Amino acid sequence: KGADGRRCDLILSVDNELQYAAERALERGVAHHRADGGCLLVQDPRTGRILAMAAAPTFNPNRYDEVEETVRRNPNVSEPVEPGSIFKAFFIGTLLDRYQIDFDKPYFYSDRQYLLENGEVINDFKAYGWVSFRDVVKYSINAGIIQACRELTQKERYDFLVRAHFGARTGIDLPGEHAGILRPTREWGVRTTATILIGQGIGVTPIQLISSFSALVNGGVWMRPSLVDRTSWRDDRGIHTQEVALQ
């Protein structure tokens, strides 16, 4: 409420039932994995609207000053992490944009360890032998995606990540958003050039991740995430008394 008597109501995009389900699911997941915390987001990929946003541990906002600053932060927007193997999906999409791919042809060889040009090793869960593109996707084979992307230069990898809105704030209507961590290519070595494909050597926030994944199911179109559906202004001072208005 402003000093001039006007009041602004924020109408959020959050769905009450989805929010309740998200908070309960997150609570169960954190307990099951004995995790220190976690977060969960639900987004409408067509509009970018956030339908649920949960974080753990939580706190009573009426006792804001009684909890540590790290607990008050919203990890959905403020804490970048290495996304890991789910990041492969973005580069798989890039390859599909560029090439005609036979999903079942055994293009790639997977030993348990993949040797980079500088002698460093990238590990896989096991040795898969000759694998197809479909196998790379199905079993999340590190060696497969690294071989599949051999023709992509550092600049092309970096430019794609920028187009996918990594390394920059999404602009969601919340305070404290982190831009994530996407280092310039001059700081990439042989290892980072490879591991960026499998979600290592980069830091992304959950809101960045879900918004870019939403683009994959929205015809490739990225929508800015939003939590405020609309605002409604009213003037509590009134132009007449309630009694006069009722007459």
Side-chain angles (χ1 to χ4, degrees):
K1 183 177 179 179
D4 62 357
R6 294 201 307 159
R7 185 189 300 271
C8 180
D9 293 327
L10 298 179
I11 295 87
L12 303 183
S13 57
V14 171
D15 181 285
N16 288 340
E17 293 185 3
L18 282 176
Q19 181 67 29
Y20 178 81
E23 291 182 8
R24 297 290 78 77
L26 179 59
E27 184 180 359
R28 291 193 300 271
V30 168
H32 176 75
H33 294 286
R34 299 179 181 177
D36 292 332
C39 53
L40 193 156
L41 286 163
V42 181
Q43 184 180 42
D44 183 342
R46 299 164 300 177
T47 64
R49 295 166 68 245
I50 300 300
L51 305 179
M53 177 181 286
T58 187
F59 66 96
N60 184 345
N62 293 318
R63 298 185 174 181
Y64 184 84
D65 294 331
E66 298 178 15
V67 296
E68 296 180 4
E69 192 271 336
T70 54
V71 176
R72 297 198 300 263
R73 285 203 301 259
N74 184 348
N76 287 288
V77 301
S78 66
E79 295 185 11
V81 297
E82 284 190 330
S85 282
I86 59 173
F87 215 59
K88 291 185 177 81
F90 298 113
F91 286 99
I92 288 168
T94 299
L95 293 173
L96 292 174
D97 278 338
R98 293 175 61 127
Y99 305 113
Q100 285 288 107
I101 295 175
D102 183 340
F103 269 77
D104 297 303
K105 184 177 179 179
Y107 289 105
F108 317 111
Y109 189 78
S110 166
D111 202 346
R112 185 178 175 85
Q113 295 185 323
Y114 182 78
L115 193 65
L116 299 177
E117 294 93 329
N118 65 348
E120 293 189 69
V121 170
I122 302 295
N123 293 308
D124 264 310
F125 178 70
K126 69 175 186 179
Y128 292 92
W130 284 101
V131 293
S132 66
F133 199 81
R134 190 182 304 277
D135 294 325
V136 171
V137 176
K138 182 177 180 180
Y139 299 111
S140 189
I141 301 172
N142 292 337
I145 192 68
I146 292 171
Q147 291 174 70
C149 293
R150 277 179 300 202
E151 300 302 317
L152 295 179
T153 66
Q154 281 186 342
K155 184 178 185 305
E156 288 172 326
R157 299 176 196 206
Y158 179 86
D159 288 349
F160 165 73
L161 293 172
V162 170
R163 288 200 310 276
H165 293 267
F166 295 112
R169 295 179 180 89
T170 64
I172 188 172
D173 34 23
L174 280 174
E177 184 182 12
H178 198 291
I181 303 168
L182 176 58
R183 293 179 295 167
T185 54
R186 66 177 178 273
E187 298 180 14
W188 293 15
V190 171
R191 185 175 184 84
T192 299
T193 302
T195 61
I196 204 87
L197 303 169
I198 57 177
Q200 298 174 15
I202 185 173
V204 306
T205 61
I207 193 66
Q208 288 175 326
L209 196 59
I210 194 173
S211 297
S212 294
F213 262 111
S214 289
L216 292 180
V217 296
N218 189 40
V221 178
W222 185 90
M223 304 297 293
R224 185 180 304 280
S226 62
L227 195 63
V228 176
D229 223 9
R230 62 187 187 278
T231 57
S232 177
W233 286 91
R234 67 175 188 266
D235 192 337
D236 285 349
R237 295 171 300 179
I239 58 174
H240 296 294
T241 64
Q242 288 189 0
E243 292 77 7
V244 169
L246 286 171
Q247 292 179 33

